[in-house]
Every structure is written in C-alpha cells, then in structure tokens.
Amino acid sequence: MKSEEQKGKELRRGSLEPLPNHRSTAAGNPKAMALPANAADAAGTKHAPKKPPKTKQASRRKAQGKTQQNRKVTDYYPVRRSSRKSKAELQSEEKRKLDELIESGKEEGMKIDIIDGKGRGVIATKQFTRGEFVVEYHGDLIEITDAKKREALYAQDPSTGCYMYYFQYLSKTYCVDATRETDRLGRLINHSKCGNCQTKLHDIDGVPHLILIASRDIKAGEELLYDYGDRSRASLEAHPWLKH
C-alpha cells in the first residue's frame, strides 16, 4: 500500500503534465504568446510624443509674426508724393505770371532804333524763344463806335499817323488806340508780312489785352516785326509798305 505521502507527490506531479487532447502553444514556439489584436497593433506602433498645449504667449508670438509678414513696404519707407504739376496747374501758373508781367508794364529785352526807310523801330536786345511774351500793344481800349470817331479826327492831320488796332473779342469789335505818344514800345514795332512776332489776345479779369509773342526764335539784334493785317485798298494806297 502506498502511503499518504506518496499519493500526495503523485498528485502534485500529475497536475503538471498536459492533458492528451490539449495542445500547448508553448510547445511549438516557446517564445510566442497570443496577444489581442489591439495589443499587437499597439505594440508595433510607436506613440508620438504629445505636443504641449499652446500658451497665450506662444499664440501672441505667432500673431505678431503674421502681422510682420503682412506689413506693406510703405510701413518701412515713407510714401513719396509726386511733385510733378499737372497740365492745368502749369497753365494756371503761366497765366498768372503773364498777368503780372502785363499789369506791371515792364518792357525788357528791346530798344528803340532808327531803321532805314522806316524811321523808328524796335530792336531785340536779348533772345526770345518761340511763343514767349515780347510786349503789349498798349493804348486806350475802346469800342468801335468811339474808334470810328477818333479815326475821323486823326484823318484831319496826316502827320498824326495811325496807331489803331481793331479786333474781335467775344463777338464784339474793339480797338486799341495807341496814337497818343507814350514811352510804351509796342506801338513802335513796324509791319512785315514775314514778321517774327504775332498778335494774341490775353484776358485778365474779363478785359482783353493785345499782346505780341515771338512766332519763332528771335536773336538779339533783330528788328521786331509783325503783320498789321490790313489789306484794304485805302490803307494800301496810303501806306504802300503794307504790301511787304
């Protein structure tokens, strides 16, 4: 008979042996262990370190960076405004200068001289460029009714001469009567059909002024001339030099 101690050892030894119908996973691969699917995926995937939460300071720095990127060139360099004047501004400035020159009565760059076969004339003492103001044909600005009366009066004295210039302005006929002897030089400029000056009307506050401008470049020493424009038979008979 087996003693109680021997039976206990056999029981303990028998409990460690596998059953006949039980297949041990460890027998085929002692290192293999069955893991759940989620556990296997987790084991093969490395977890990325978690980013620390954004702080207010980091958000502020990022916002400042965007602001700097979106800045314009004008934030760093001052905007240069064009100093170039418009055409209208230039024309207005030129008119203002001419108004002041005419109203001042200054007559520069010319002198009186005696011209052969003509008598008195005006010589340029400086160069004038084409389109430049030369002088005003200054005298009494009157309407045609008064002009005709004066002309009839002057005709009674042939030595008086004729210094009357008629023109149209705003559908009305005017005359500049420069017959009276003055120190203004415009009245002494002689006639030529090929002159180097031409007449032009210039308005100052609604009042027309008859001025002479250079029709081409004029050199110093040249006689100043312009076309009187009178082609009437009576005028040509009285003043044959109007033909030239």
Side-chain angles (χ1 to χ4, degrees):
M1 293 181 63
K2 294 181 179 177
S3 63
E4 294 294 333
E5 184 178 356
Q6 290 177 343
K7 290 180 180 182
K9 290 180 180 179
E10 290 175 359
L11 289 173
R12 286 195 295 272
R13 187 169 53 251
S15 63
L16 297 175
E17 294 177 0
L19 296 175
N21 294 331
H22 181 74
R23 185 172 58 186
S24 174
T25 306
N29 188 358
K31 295 182 180 179
M33 295 181 61
L35 297 174
N38 292 341
D41 293 341
T45 305
K46 293 182 180 180
H47 292 283
K50 293 183 178 180
K51 295 181 179 180
K54 294 181 179 180
T55 61
K56 291 184 179 181
Q57 187 177 1
S59 301
R60 194 179 298 111
R61 283 198 299 268
K62 187 174 181 180
Q64 290 176 354
K66 288 183 177 181
T67 303
Q68 292 177 356
Q69 292 177 359
N70 294 334
R71 283 183 178 177
K72 300 177 181 178
V73 176
T74 53
D75 293 336
Y76 302 96
Y77 300 97
V79 179
R80 290 187 177 181
R81 301 297 179 187
S82 177
S83 59
R84 185 177 299 174
K85 296 181 181 180
S86 64
K87 185 177 180 180
E89 289 174 334
L90 291 173
Q91 289 177 343
S92 178
E93 187 175 298
E94 288 296 325
K95 184 182 184 307
R96 186 170 59 254
K97 289 180 180 178
L98 187 54
D99 291 352
E100 294 174 355
L101 188 59
I102 293 173
E103 290 177 332
S104 69
K106 291 181 179 179
E107 298 178 340
E108 299 175 342
M110 64 197 76
K111 67 176 183 177
I112 300 175
D113 202 354
I114 303 299
I115 310 298
D116 292 339
K118 297 180 182 179
R120 289 183 299 176
V122 181
I123 303 297
T125 59
K126 73 167 190 176
Q127 181 177 354
F128 290 94
T129 58
R130 181 181 179 183
E132 184 179 354
F133 169 77
V134 178
V135 70
E136 179 185 10
Y137 189 86
H138 187 269
D140 297 331
L141 179 65
I142 55 178
E143 295 184 9
I144 187 170
T145 305
D146 293 332
K148 290 300 181 181
K149 292 179 181 179
R150 290 192 183 187
E151 191 173 1
L153 184 61
Y154 297 150
Q156 297 176 9
D157 185 2
S159 64
T160 301
C162 182
Y163 296 85
M164 304 185 77
Y165 195 106
Y166 292 87
F167 63 91
Q168 294 282 333
Y169 181 71
L170 298 178
S171 302
K172 196 171 183 179
T173 303
Y174 290 91
C175 174
V176 174
D177 182 8
T179 304
R180 183 171 58 90
E181 189 74 28
T182 65
D183 58 353
R184 305 300 292 265
L185 302 183
R187 62 187 293 276
L188 298 179
I189 296 179
N190 289 315
H191 161 81
S192 174
K193 293 174 69 174
C194 302
N196 48 25
C197 295
Q198 64 185 38
T199 57
K200 181 180 180 181
L201 290 177
H202 183 81
D203 179 283
I204 300 178
D205 297 329
V207 178
H209 290 257
L210 186 65
I211 64 174
L212 295 172
I213 62 172
S215 57
R216 60 170 174 81
D217 292 344
I218 303 173
K219 297 179 181 180
E222 286 190 62
E223 182 184 3
L224 299 177
L225 302 164
Y226 73 100
D227 186 358
Y228 287 2
D230 192 350
R231 302 288 190 269
S232 65
R233 179 178 297 179
S235 296
L236 292 175
E237 289 177 357
H239 310 288
W241 43 265
L242 287 174
K243 298 178 182 179
H244 306 287

